[in-house]
Amino acid sequence: MTAPAVFGAMLLLLTACPSKESDYVDLGRIPEQYLATVPYRNGDVFRMQHERDRVVIDFNVSRHRQKETGYDYLYEKLKPAPNYIYEYEADITKCTPNYPVFDVEISFSNAYMAYEEEGMQAWNKCASLFAVGNARIPFFGEDYSSYEMVDSLKVNGRYYHDVFKLKADASYYESEDSIRAETYYYNYEKGLIGVIMSNGEKYWIYED
């Protein structure tokens, strides 16, 4: 299943037509420290194993950065200031399995810099993880005290530490009957540690 478009839901951008008085702002590159939010590199392969059937699935990684644009309508409080069109950088990681289970996409950008309101910055200052569902991962180095953490998680005899337990957003599904991801386990060192599906199926990281 192909993951949704990266920032359609995350950003509150691209939703209105800018006026003729728009100003353009280039937000530059994503801060270097945030790139460690996702440990995968282009060309990597990581493996997950179905807990019951013990089938091991390879996920091939492609990762790139690209420029995107968005229109910000949050400056109405500054009237008669102009509208702003932002050019920002997006980091997109796609992980394609060699067996038809689910695709994985983890995406983030520096578009949060377009917002003055602290609440809006906090909302956008995270990565979106899609694997048949959406969850949010805090940027590396940022406060994650509001996230549920697992100190250590044992998988196939190995321990993984500082693991986020992330809940998928069920609103991304057209039907409650569809099989979907309900819980992700993720850390900055290894990336995706586990996925628990709505039908009870479990997939865990597999390392030789």
Side-chain angles (χ1 to χ4, degrees):
M1 180 178 295
T2 302
V6 52
F7 295 110
M10 189 174 101
L11 290 180
L12 296 185
L13 297 174
L14 310 176
T15 57
C17 296
S19 73
K20 296 180 180 179
E21 301 177 350
S22 298
D23 279 358
Y24 286 82
V25 180
D26 186 351
L27 297 176
R29 299 179 63 85
I30 296 169
E32 196 68 26
Q33 68 268 25
Y34 292 162
L35 300 179
T37 299
V38 180
Y40 303 126
R41 297 174 298 179
N42 189 51
D44 281 351
V45 177
F46 73 90
R47 311 176 86 187
M48 301 198 77
Q49 184 177 49
H50 189 277
E51 184 179 74
R52 184 186 66 245
D53 297 338
R54 313 304 292 173
V55 174
V56 177
I57 302 162
D58 289 350
F59 286 79
N60 296 288
V61 176
S62 64
R63 183 175 181 179
H64 70 281
R65 278 177 277 173
Q66 64 189 39
K67 283 288 190 178
E68 298 189 1
T69 57
Y71 169 62
D72 185 359
Y73 55 88
L74 297 179
Y75 280 81
E76 292 183 357
K77 66 178 184 180
L78 301 179
K79 291 178 180 178
N83 298 310
Y84 289 86
I85 295 179
Y86 292 101
E87 185 175 81
Y88 57 92
E89 188 174 61
D91 184 281
I92 301 170
T93 301
K94 294 185 177 182
C95 310
T96 305
N98 65 353
Y99 184 82
V101 284
F102 48 77
D103 293 348
V104 176
E105 181 173 309
I106 308 172
S107 308
F108 60 91
S109 79
N110 61 339
Y112 66 87
M113 295 171 60
Y115 297 95
E116 290 190 339
E117 287 87 348
E118 182 178 349
M120 290 304 303
Q121 282 203 353
W123 177 252
N124 290 302
K125 217 168 187 181
C126 58
S128 282
L129 186 159
F130 297 96
V132 205
N134 175 55
R136 297 179 183 276
I137 307 163
F139 280 172
F140 180 81
E142 293 293 324
D143 177 35
Y144 53 80
S145 59
S146 62
Y147 286 76
E148 185 176 355
M149 300 289 295
V150 179
D151 290 336
S152 63
L153 182 66
K154 188 178 181 179
V155 178
N156 292 325
R158 295 174 182 250
Y159 284 94
Y160 299 89
H161 301 281
D162 300 320
V163 177
F164 294 103
K165 185 178 180 181
L166 307 170
K167 295 294 185 180
D169 184 352
S171 66
Y172 276 76
Y173 299 98
E174 295 181 0
S175 170
E176 293 183 359
D177 296 329
S178 61
I179 298 174
R180 58 189 184 277
E182 287 190 336
T183 305
Y184 303 106
Y185 292 91
Y186 185 96
N187 74 1
Y188 294 132
E189 180 184 3
K190 292 292 185 178
L192 198 59
I193 306 296
V195 180
I196 301 178
M197 308 297 291
S198 59
N199 64 353
E201 293 186 9
K202 299 177 182 179
Y203 297 85
W204 299 105
I205 189 172
Y206 182 86
E207 296 186 285
D208 295 329

